[in-house]
Amino acid sequence: MTTSTVTATGMPAVRPYESYVYAYPHKTAYRPLPERPALRELWAAEPKNALSLYLHIPFCEVRCGFCNLFTRIGAPEELTTRYLDALDRQAVAVRDALGGDDPVRFAAAAFGGGTPTFLTAGELERLCDIAEKRMGADLRAVPLSVETSPSTATADRLAVLADRGTTRVSIGVQSFVDEEARAAVRPQRRSEVEAALGRIRDALIPVLNIDLIYGIDGQTERTWLTSLDAALAWRPEELYLYPLYVRPLTGLHRLAAAAGPEAETLEQAAWDEQRLRLYAVGRDHLLAHGYEQVSMRMFRRADAPQEGPEDYACQTDGMIGLGCGARSYTAALHYSFDYAVDMREIRSIIDSFTATEDFSRAEVGRYVDVAEARRRHLLQSLLQAAGLPVADYQARFGTDPREDFRAELERFAARGWLDPHAPEGLLRLSPLGLAHSDALGPALFSPWVRAAMAAYERK
C-alpha cells in the first residue's frame, strides 16, 4: 500500500484510490495453467442450480482515454461473424462440460465488453440464441443486463434486446459536459447522449443505469452537478459514479507520461483531494434526490425495481464466462483466456480465440484455496454498503471473520472505516470507509496475490 503523510490519529495516510476491486483475485494474478484442466472435471462437483452467465463482446467503436478493458476498435473483415462462430463453439463445449446429470440453471445473465451493442441487431439476435439455445439460459425469466454506448444504442438494437428479455441497460455517458468528454478522450456530444437515452426509455427496458466519471481534468463541483442533474432528469433506476483512473497503457496514461514523473507526483495529492470532494458532492446529491447507496460506486433509486437474482450470491455461486475477455468461477479455480491492454496484443488474442476449435479446457487462471475464498467473501461483502453478516461467513467457513482478519479489521477501525454503530453481528463500512473502498479493498489482498500481480508483465 502506498503511504505518504501521517494522519491526526498517528496512522500512516493512504492514497484513497489504489485500485477498483471488481473481482478477486485480479486477472493480473492469473497465469497459464500447465495442466490445462478439463472443464468437465472442474465443474463435475460444482452446484449448478444458480449460475451466472456472462457473454463478452470485445469490440468498441472508439477507445476512451481511460479505458483498460479488453477491447479493440472496430471489427474488419467479418471479424464479428468469426467471433460469434467461436463463441458458439465455446458455448457448445462448455454446456457439454456442465453435464446432464444435475440440473443446470442460470439465475442471471449479462452481455458486456467492450460494447455488446457494437453488434448489429441481427448479430444481437444470434448472441441471444447462443445464450438460450446453446447454454440453456431462459433470458426472459432471469435478469439480463446489457452494456451500451450513446452511438450504438440504436432503436433496432434496443428493440431486439427488449424483445429478448433485457431487464437492464447500462450506458456509459461519463460526462454530459462536452469539454469534459473530450478531456477524457470520449468523443461524443451531449445531444447524442440525450437522444440515446430517449431511445432507451422508448424501448421500455425496466432498469436504466447511467455511468458517470468524476476527477476529469478541468471538472469542477459546478460541472459535476451539471452532469448529475442531466442524468437525474431521466430518472434512471441506477447510477454508477466512477472515479477516473489513469491506468498503464491507456491513452490518458500516455499523455500523463509525456508530462514527466515530477509533474505526475506533484499533481497526485491534489487529484486525490479533487476526487474525494467530488465523490462526496455526488453521493450527497443523489441521497438528497431519493437514491440509496449500494456501494461506493452504485446508487439505486429508492422506488426502483430490485434488479438482480434473489438466489445468486457472487461470494459463493459459480459463473460461466463466454468470450475471450470473460472469466469463469468455480469454487477452486478462476479461469479465463489471456489478458492484455495494448491494442496489438488484444488483436492477437482475439484472432487466436476465433481460430480455436477445442474449448474443452481451461487455459489461464488462478486456483483459489480456502484462505483466498475467505478473503474473497470478506471483500465482496464488506465493499457493499449492506456489509457482511458474520453468521453467513461462519456458516460457510466455520470460523469468525473478526478472528481470521483481526489485524486488517483493527486497522480499518482505527482509520474510522468501520461503522461502530452497526448492529451486532454485522461488519459494515462507515461513510468514510465507503469513500475509501479503493484503498480498503486492495489492503485485503493476500501477499501471494500481491506478488503475482506485481510480477505480471503488462502487455
Side-chain angles (χ1 to χ4, degrees):
M1 180 183 293
T2 304
T3 62
S4 51
T5 58
V6 175
T7 66
T9 63
M11 297 284 291
V14 297
R15 283 194 53 203
Y17 299 102
E18 291 286 334
S19 67
Y20 172 26
V21 182
Y22 57 89
Y24 181 80
H26 191 271
K27 211 171 182 181
T28 55
Y30 292 12
R31 294 293 184 271
L33 300 166
E35 73 280 22
R36 297 179 66 242
L39 301 187
R40 181 175 287 276
E41 296 172 6
L42 291 175
W43 286 97
E46 293 290 312
K48 307 179 188 74
N49 62 331
L51 298 173
S52 179
L53 177 64
Y54 178 78
L55 276 66
H56 179 256
I57 302 299
F59 307 112
C60 287
E61 70 277 14
V62 295
R63 190 166 198 185
C64 304
F66 52 83
C67 177
N68 72 335
L69 298 178
F70 187 94
T71 186
R72 64 162 290 165
I73 301 169
E77 300 176 6
E78 303 299 319
L79 180 55
T80 55
T81 299
R82 287 186 279 121
Y83 185 83
L84 289 171
D85 288 345
L87 202 66
D88 192 279
R89 293 194 298 274
Q90 184 188 15
V92 170
V94 171
R95 184 61 187 84
D96 179 68
L98 292 176
D101 295 336
D102 300 318
V104 176
R105 175 181 167 270
F106 292 98
F111 302 159
T115 308
T117 50
F118 179 90
L119 300 177
T120 65
E123 289 170 333
L124 284 172
E125 290 276 17
R126 186 178 180 195
L127 187 68
C128 292
D129 284 344
I130 291 171
E132 290 192 326
K133 297 177 181 178
R134 298 302 192 200
M135 294 304 300
D138 188 349
L139 298 183
R140 292 178 177 85
V142 302
L144 170 60
S145 179
V146 182
E147 296 173 11
T148 191
S149 66
S151 64
T152 62
T154 58
D156 59 338
R157 292 176 170 104
L158 293 168
V160 169
L161 296 178
D163 180 64
R164 299 301 291 262
T166 302
T167 55
R168 178 181 183 270
V169 166
S170 178
I171 183 168
V173 172
Q174 321 314 351
S175 177
F176 283 84
V177 179
D178 289 351
E179 294 78 11
E180 291 178 1
R182 286 196 294 272
V185 195
R186 173 87 179 184
Q188 66 188 26
R189 291 188 176 89
R190 177 170 175 173
S191 58
E192 297 167 344
V193 171
E194 300 277 4
L197 289 167
R199 292 191 294 270
I200 293 171
R201 282 309 198 195
D202 289 344
L204 301 180
I205 293 170
V207 174
L208 164 64
N209 173 71
I210 298 176
D211 289 345
L212 297 176
I213 283 181
Y214 56 92
I216 299 171
D217 187 30
Q219 191 176 46
T220 65
E221 291 184 25
R222 180 183 59 79
T223 61
W224 178 225
L225 287 169
T226 296
S227 281
L228 289 166
D229 286 336
L232 288 171
W234 292 95
R235 300 199 73 244
E237 285 71 24
E238 295 177 4
L239 276 159
Y240 271 72
L241 308 185
Y242 288 95
L244 180 65
Y245 274 93
V246 177
R247 298 179 176 94
L249 303 181
T250 62
L252 287 180
H253 183 261
R254 287 190 289 271
L255 292 174
E262 235 178 77
E264 190 176 354
T265 302
L266 289 171
E267 292 173 0
Q268 189 64 60
W271 191 30
D272 285 346
E273 191 277 332
Q274 178 208 22
R275 285 181 287 180
L276 280 174
R277 185 178 70 254
L278 294 178
Y279 161 79
V281 168
R283 175 199 62 201
D284 294 347
H285 198 63
L286 294 187
L287 293 177
H289 281 77
Y291 285 75
E292 299 171 337
Q293 186 165 18
V294 179
S295 68
M296 172 187 167
R297 287 164 170 76
M298 182 183 177
F299 295 80
R300 180 186 294 119
R301 211 177 71 210
D303 63 344
Q306 183 71 30
E307 171 65 17
E310 295 180 359
D311 59 346
Y312 176 80
C314 63
Q315 296 93 333
T316 56
D317 291 320
M319 170 179 274
I320 296 290
L322 301 180
C324 56
R327 314 161 191 252
S328 296
Y329 303 147
T330 69
L333 178 68
H334 293 188
Y335 63 93
S336 65
F337 294 91
D338 203 1
Y339 171 71
V341 176
D342 180 78
M343 192 60 68
R344 287 170 298 182
E345 295 286 348
I346 289 173
R347 285 197 293 263
S348 174
I349 293 170
I350 292 173
D351 288 343
S352 175
F353 176 83
T354 60
T356 299
E357 295 293 334
D358 180 7
F359 287 101
S360 65
R361 295 180 175 274
E363 302 287 340
V364 177
R366 185 171 186 88
Y367 285 98
V368 179
D369 61 17
V370 173
E372 292 290 18
R374 289 191 178 109
R375 286 186 181 274
R376 181 171 182 258
H377 191 111
L378 177 66
L379 261 170
Q380 294 190 311
S381 302
L382 199 56
L383 293 179
Q384 300 296 307
L388 167 65
V390 172
D392 290 354
Y393 183 101
Q394 290 173 322
R396 181 179 179 192
F397 298 110
T399 57
D400 191 316
R402 295 165 295 194
E403 294 299 325
D404 293 344
F405 300 96
R406 177 181 291 274
E408 293 93 331
L409 293 174
E410 286 179 350
R411 284 200 304 272
F412 298 162
R415 294 187 184 280
W417 289 356
L418 296 182
D419 181 359
H421 306 297
E424 180 66 27
L426 181 68
L427 283 173
R428 185 171 66 191
L429 296 184
S430 65
L432 182 65
L434 276 174
H436 286 78
S437 293
D438 286 7
L440 184 149
L444 285 172
F445 290 6
S446 73
W448 300 274
V449 166
R450 285 178 179 277
M453 293 173 66
Y456 174 76
E457 294 185 10
R458 295 190 180 101
K459 55 185 179 181

